[in-house]
Amino acid sequence: MQKRKFSTELAYVIGLILLAASVACVERANLGISMVSAPSYLLHLKLSQFSSFFTFGTTDYLFQALLIATMALLIRKIRLYYLFSFITALLSGKTLDGLMALLRLVPMDTLYMRALFFALGIALCAVGVSLFFHSYIAPGAYELVVKELSAHFHLDINRFKLCFDLGCCALALALSLLFFGRIQGIGAGTAISALVNGPLIGCCSRWLDKRFLFVDALPLHRYFQA
């Protein structure tokens, strides 16, 4: 089967929108946010009580900025690539806030609708991450931190990714108990997404590889080198 050409820049744009839509759908379903998004979500719930500035999207890109700064201190390097990663986080956060506002218009009064939106969010995440994998443009901080720290400290990236996700979950649990005295934002959906995200992303990436040839449409690759 002849592969169709697909712009890597377009893959980045679509991937960014789909990932933001994924988080918005999962949040609206209220069955448990993903592990990596959970800390910023808990911070959003608390800080938004004091200021409307701290939307989920805003809190998330500020939290990602903190992650990038911490990573830079740990590896003692500052690269332009890290700035591009923050820009990705910023764009994703703004898109997330817009999509969440739209989804607030959709009634979510039955378990069926919540499960439907949760499943949609999981599917969008798999497609979005797979498209990001096929773009040279810097990903958000969550992916960047795992990639850079595992490479710097010569760690197995898959094991480090698991540890990173579990660390985010533990931090979210601690923040939930500290802020609200109970577990909030973490539920059955958190565990389900942790189990199925990896296999779904792998399947989606293989499907894209079979059908599309990803090529650069713009001569910008050298500006996004890690």
Side-chain angles (χ1 to χ4, degrees), residues 189-205:
T190 306
I192 293 172
S193 62
L195 290 172
V196 305
N197 269 348
L200 283 178
I201 291 169
C203 290
C204 188
S205 293

mmCIF file of all heavy atoms in Angstrom, residues 189-205:
data_model
loop_
_atom_site.group_PDB
_atom_site.id
_atom_site.type_symbol
_atom_site.label_atom_id
_atom_site.label_comp_id
_atom_site.label_asym_id
_atom_site.label_seq_id
_atom_site.Cartn_x
_atom_site.Cartn_y
_atom_site.Cartn_z
ATOM 1 N N GLY A 189 -10.967 6.095 36.727
ATOM 2 C CA GLY A 189 -10.473 6.497 35.412
ATOM 3 C C GLY A 189 -8.975 6.699 35.383
ATOM 4 O O GLY A 189 -8.328 6.468 34.350
ATOM 5 N N THR A 190 -8.410 7.130 36.498
ATOM 6 C CA THR A 190 -6.960 7.320 36.585
ATOM 7 C C THR A 190 -6.234 5.999 36.372
ATOM 8 O O THR A 190 -5.258 5.926 35.614
ATOM 9 C CB THR A 190 -6.575 7.910 37.952
ATOM 10 O OG1 THR A 190 -7.318 9.106 38.184
ATOM 11 C CG2 THR A 190 -5.094 8.219 38.013
ATOM 12 N N ALA A 191 -6.717 4.961 37.031
ATOM 13 C CA ALA A 191 -6.098 3.641 36.899
ATOM 14 C C ALA A 191 -6.322 3.069 35.503
ATOM 15 O O ALA A 191 -5.411 2.474 34.905
ATOM 16 C CB ALA A 191 -6.670 2.695 37.957
ATOM 17 N N ILE A 192 -7.523 3.249 34.970
ATOM 18 C CA ILE A 192 -7.829 2.726 33.630
ATOM 19 C C ILE A 192 -6.939 3.366 32.580
ATOM 20 O O ILE A 192 -6.364 2.685 31.715
ATOM 21 C CB ILE A 192 -9.315 2.944 33.294
ATOM 22 C CG1 ILE A 192 -10.199 2.094 34.208
ATOM 23 C CG2 ILE A 192 -9.588 2.614 31.823
ATOM 24 C CD1 ILE A 192 -11.680 2.393 34.077
ATOM 25 N N SER A 193 -6.797 4.693 32.645
ATOM 26 C CA SER A 193 -5.970 5.388 31.656
ATOM 27 C C SER A 193 -4.517 4.962 31.752
ATOM 28 O O SER A 193 -3.819 4.841 30.739
ATOM 29 C CB SER A 193 -6.094 6.909 31.828
ATOM 30 O OG SER A 193 -5.635 7.318 33.099
ATOM 31 N N ALA A 194 -4.046 4.710 32.980
ATOM 32 C CA ALA A 194 -2.661 4.268 33.162
ATOM 33 C C ALA A 194 -2.424 2.906 32.511
ATOM 34 O O ALA A 194 -1.340 2.642 31.971
ATOM 35 C CB ALA A 194 -2.321 4.204 34.649
ATOM 36 N N LEU A 195 -3.436 2.044 32.544
ATOM 37 C CA LEU A 195 -3.301 0.699 31.995
ATOM 38 C C LEU A 195 -3.413 0.667 30.472
ATOM 39 O O LEU A 195 -2.698 -0.095 29.812
ATOM 40 C CB LEU A 195 -4.365 -0.221 32.604
ATOM 41 C CG LEU A 195 -4.203 -0.582 34.084
ATOM 42 C CD1 LEU A 195 -5.419 -1.337 34.581
ATOM 43 C CD2 LEU A 195 -2.936 -1.418 34.298
ATOM 44 N N VAL A 196 -4.293 1.475 29.902
ATOM 45 C CA VAL A 196 -4.590 1.348 28.473
ATOM 46 C C VAL A 196 -3.869 2.361 27.589
ATOM 47 O O VAL A 196 -3.772 2.153 26.376
ATOM 48 C CB VAL A 196 -6.111 1.435 28.221
ATOM 49 C CG1 VAL A 196 -6.861 0.414 29.048
ATOM 50 C CG2 VAL A 196 -6.637 2.837 28.524
ATOM 51 N N ASN A 197 -3.376 3.461 28.159
ATOM 52 C CA ASN A 197 -2.779 4.509 27.333
ATOM 53 C C ASN A 197 -1.603 4.001 26.510
ATOM 54 O O ASN A 197 -1.512 4.241 25.307
ATOM 55 C CB ASN A 197 -2.337 5.694 28.200
ATOM 56 C CG ASN A 197 -3.423 6.732 28.349
ATOM 57 O OD1 ASN A 197 -4.432 6.700 27.649
ATOM 58 N ND2 ASN A 197 -3.238 7.649 29.275
ATOM 59 N N GLY A 198 -0.675 3.302 27.174
ATOM 60 C CA GLY A 198 0.518 2.812 26.483
ATOM 61 C C GLY A 198 0.200 1.919 25.300
ATOM 62 O O GLY A 198 0.646 2.178 24.168
ATOM 63 N N PRO A 199 -0.574 0.828 25.511
ATOM 64 C CA PRO A 199 -0.931 -0.054 24.382
ATOM 65 C C PRO A 199 -1.689 0.660 23.270
ATOM 66 O O PRO A 199 -1.439 0.413 22.085
ATOM 67 C CB PRO A 199 -1.807 -1.121 25.048
ATOM 68 C CG PRO A 199 -1.354 -1.152 26.472
ATOM 69 C CD PRO A 199 -1.012 0.267 26.794
ATOM 70 N N LEU A 200 -2.603 1.557 23.630
ATOM 71 C CA LEU A 200 -3.371 2.281 22.606
ATOM 72 C C LEU A 200 -2.479 3.204 21.779
ATOM 73 O O LEU A 200 -2.624 3.291 20.555
ATOM 74 C CB LEU A 200 -4.486 3.095 23.261
ATOM 75 C CG LEU A 200 -5.727 2.325 23.711
ATOM 76 C CD1 LEU A 200 -6.717 3.268 24.385
ATOM 77 C CD2 LEU A 200 -6.392 1.625 22.534
ATOM 78 N N ILE A 201 -1.553 3.882 22.437
ATOM 79 C CA ILE A 201 -0.617 4.760 21.724
ATOM 80 C C ILE A 201 0.239 3.942 20.769
ATOM 81 O O ILE A 201 0.492 4.342 19.628
ATOM 82 C CB ILE A 201 0.255 5.542 22.720
ATOM 83 C CG1 ILE A 201 -0.600 6.558 23.477
ATOM 84 C CG2 ILE A 201 1.396 6.257 21.995
ATOM 85 C CD1 ILE A 201 0.107 7.193 24.650
ATOM 86 N N GLY A 202 0.695 2.772 21.222
ATOM 87 C CA GLY A 202 1.493 1.898 20.368
ATOM 88 C C GLY A 202 0.723 1.452 19.136
ATOM 89 O O GLY A 202 1.242 1.486 18.015
ATOM 90 N N CYS A 203 -0.531 1.047 19.322
ATOM 91 C CA CYS A 203 -1.362 0.610 18.195
ATOM 92 C C CYS A 203 -1.608 1.747 17.210
ATOM 93 O O CYS A 203 -1.529 1.558 15.994
ATOM 94 C CB CYS A 203 -2.693 0.070 18.704
ATOM 95 S SG CYS A 203 -2.578 -1.507 19.571
ATOM 96 N N CYS A 204 -1.878 2.919 17.749
ATOM 97 C CA CYS A 204 -2.159 4.072 16.896
ATOM 98 C C CYS A 204 -0.920 4.483 16.109
ATOM 99 O O CYS A 204 -1.003 4.813 14.925
ATOM 100 C CB CYS A 204 -2.663 5.230 17.746
ATOM 101 S SG CYS A 204 -3.269 6.626 16.790
ATOM 102 N N SER A 205 0.241 4.459 16.749
ATOM 103 C CA SER A 205 1.494 4.820 16.074
ATOM 104 C C SER A 205 1.795 3.862 14.936
ATOM 105 O O SER A 205 2.215 4.279 13.849
ATOM 106 C CB SER A 205 2.650 4.838 17.079
ATOM 107 O OG SER A 205 2.494 5.882 18.014
#
